[in-house]
Amino acid sequence: MPLALVTGASAGIGRSFADALARRGYDLILAARSTARLEAVVQELSARHHVRAESWTADLTSDAGREQVAERIAALPHLDLLVNNAGFATTGKLHKIPLAPQMDMLRLHVMAPMRLCAAALPRMVEHGAGAIINVSSIAGFLFGPGNVNYSATKSYLTSFSLGLDTEVRGAGVRVQALCPGFTHTEIHTEMPHVKRQIPGFLWGRPEHVVETSLRQLAAGGPVICVPGSLNKILWRVLTMIPRGLRGRLAVRRRR
Ligand SMILES: NC(=O)c1ccc[n+]([C@@H]2O[C@H](COP(=O)([O-])OP(=O)(O)OC[C@H]3O[C@@H](n4cnc5c(N)ncnc54)[C@H](OP(=O)(O)O)[C@@H]3O)[C@@H](O)[C@H]2O)c1
């Protein structure tokens, strides 16, 4: 049986990955902080899809949590798919918001995926097979106020994935930077204004994001995966505007 590890699998997009992969016959390792929520997913999916599933409780913002998961990955006999998905969002200008969550964001969106990729890749390269999905965001192409650290961490994750692909594609390992737009999950629970401000037609479902990602990966599609036709148009337009100008346009829009 193929084996997949999904971080942030207790909710949202990660939970949908767990579901979609179990349906495809993957055994699962599901990681997040909440043991109870992970165990509920493990019980449900193993009963429904007759796959083996286990939970690894870990806070990936902590050095100890990251190292423990990385060491356990390195000790696995094989890992066919790593989904670096765990993440969170904040809003507010950097000089006005508490710094600790911003530092944690760098640890979770940047250090954790890099560390876990480094742990998984030696075995994947040795076997000449395997795949990594780094859940980035279309926000990584934006440079507007109020979200700068989130956008910058996702920008890192996209460019990290593009670079990593050039290193391991020849060895038979595929890498994807999944860049969803607004998706109905728990990530905006603490930010109800986001749901109010963003028009309904711009919101997608996590199941659609995950199906698009897995289909593009299976088809050997491009590294960057942007689910949803509207998001794709937005992304193409954004990438045509010079980076410096993208930030200025966003500031004008908010005046
Ligand atoms: N929803 C969107 O609109 C959207 C758009 C673009 C990109 N994304 C990206 O998609 C990914 C998944 O987000 P989501 O929308 O599905 O959010 P979500 O519903 O809030 O789920 C986040 C998941 O990450 C886990 N997590 C959070 N902090 C963690 C930590 N320190 N260590 C380990 N696990 C942690 C959570 O579980 P615990 O709380 O139990 O740890 C949960 O399973 C994120 O990387 C996000 O940036 C989301």
Side-chain angles (χ1 to χ4, degrees):
M1 288 278 233
L3 176 67
L5 188 153
V6 183
T7 70
S10 60
I13 294 171
R15 170 75 178 75
S16 287
F17 264 113
D19 206 49
L21 291 167
R23 262 186 281 118
R24 286 163 166 81
Y26 277 80
D27 287 336
L28 297 169
I29 298 169
L30 308 178
R33 290 167 302 181
S34 154
T35 311
R37 293 188 77 183
L38 282 178
E39 270 307 309
V41 181
V42 161
Q43 296 305 329
E44 186 190 327
L45 295 183
S46 50
R48 195 180 328 138
H49 300 290
H50 309 291
V51 294
R52 275 204 288 232
E54 63 177 289
S55 62
W56 288 4
T57 306
D59 182 345
L60 293 169
T61 63
S62 86
D63 289 349
R66 266 192 320 276
E67 280 312 306
Q68 200 183 37
V69 172
E71 281 164 22
R72 290 178 80 177
I73 288 175
L76 291 169
H78 70 103
L79 179 64
D80 302 280
L81 176 63
L82 168 65
V83 184
N84 281 308
N85 162 79
F88 70 97
T90 57
T91 53
K93 291 185 179 172
L94 188 65
H95 66 285
K96 292 185 174 174
I97 55 177
L99 195 56
Q102 302 308 314
M103 301 296 281
D104 277 347
M105 192 178 276
L106 282 165
R107 294 184 188 102
L108 188 61
H109 294 180
V110 174
M111 290 172 72
M114 184 276 290
R115 181 67 187 93
L116 303 196
C117 285
L121 276 170
R123 199 54 58 86
M124 288 183 177
V125 168
E126 182 193 327
H127 292 169
I132 291 171
I133 297 173
N134 290 319
V135 183
S136 183
S137 172
I138 208 166
F141 299 95
L142 292 163
F143 305 100
N147 213 8
V148 293
N149 195 39
Y150 183 84
S151 291
T153 59
K154 296 301 186 177
S155 216
Y156 164 87
L157 209 41
T158 300
S159 79
F160 172 70
S161 306
L162 285 162
L164 201 56
D165 170 69
T166 68
E167 293 190 352
V168 298
R169 180 179 284 258
V173 181
R174 289 155 300 156
V175 181
Q176 181 184 91
L178 172 59
C179 299
F182 290 106
T183 310
H184 289 295
T185 67
E186 297 177 9
I187 204 167
H188 303 106
T189 307
E190 309 285 309
M191 300 177 275
H193 63 282
V194 174
K195 290 238 164 184
R196 281 198 305 273
Q197 285 166 359
I198 306 299
F201 63 86
L202 282 179
W203 290 83
R205 289 177 300 109
E207 299 80 10
H208 175 254
V209 168
V210 167
E211 285 302 323
T212 309
S213 160
L214 292 177
R215 243 184 288 123
Q216 183 160 319
L217 190 75
V223 175
I224 295 180
C225 174
V226 181
S229 3
L230 270 180
N231 286 328
K232 224 174 236 126
I233 294 168
L234 176 65
W235 166 60
R236 293 221 183 277
V237 171
L238 276 172
T239 51
M240 281 189 268
I241 303 172
R243 279 151 62 107
L245 203 56
R246 268 181 251 171
R248 293 216 199 104
L249 288 173
V251 173
R252 263 170 187 274
R253 198 168 52 79
R254 282 175 197 211
R255 270 189 191 138

